[in-house]
């Protein structure tokens, strides 16, 4: 079955770190650009980072730039999001999505994960 499954979320204190995983099954992620999105309570989902399929080029939105890192492990068919110095404003549901058109595509995603909850609170 073709799917993306996120894991690694949880409750952390401000300043803490988490590593989220996005594991693909039924297809190989190395041919897909993979995006991380987040949705805060009461807000719509927003894209915050992307990694390209071919050369590892990445883009990260300013609010998390320097704190969040996106990377691939093709042997594990997995994309990671390493998050550090977490802030209360980072709280939300984080999901990954994949498409064959690249990080700059505005034509939507081919596959979506269900998301993993990240809660930053003291």
């Amino acid at each position: 079955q073709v799917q993306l499954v996120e894991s690694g979320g949880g409750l952390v204190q401000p300043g803490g770190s988490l590593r989220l995983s996005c594991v693909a099954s039924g297809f190989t992620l190395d041919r897909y650009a993979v995006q991380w999105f987040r949705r805060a309570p009461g807000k719509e989902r927003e894209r915050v980072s992307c990694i390209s399929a071919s050369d590892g080029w990445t883009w990260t939105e300013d609010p998390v730039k320097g704190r969040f890192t996106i990377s691939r492990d093709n042997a594990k068919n997995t994309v990671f999001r390493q998050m550090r110095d977490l802030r209360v404003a980072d709280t939300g549901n984080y999901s990954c999505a994949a498409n064959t058109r690249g990080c700059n595509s505005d034509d939507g995603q081919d596959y979506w994960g269900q998301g993993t909850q990240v809660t930053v609170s003291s």
Side-chain angles (χ1 to χ4, degrees), residues 54-72:
S54 59
D55 59 5
W57 179 90
T58 63
W59 176 88
T60 303
E61 183 59 85
D62 286 341
V64 300
K65 189 177 297 183
R67 299 188 295 114
F68 292 7
T69 301
I70 186 171
S71 61
R72 290 180 179 270

Side-chain angles (χ1 to χ4, degrees), residues 15-49:
S17 299
L18 286 173
R19 188 180 74 164
L20 307 183
S21 299
C22 174
V23 181
S25 61
F27 69 104
T28 54
L29 274 182
D30 60 356
R31 296 184 179 272
Y32 289 77
V34 178
Q35 293 75 219
W36 281 98
F37 295 79
R38 69 180 179 185
R39 184 169 59 193
K43 299 178 63 177
E44 294 187 354
R45 183 184 293 112
E46 60 180 346
R47 190 176 75 166
V48 292
S49 63

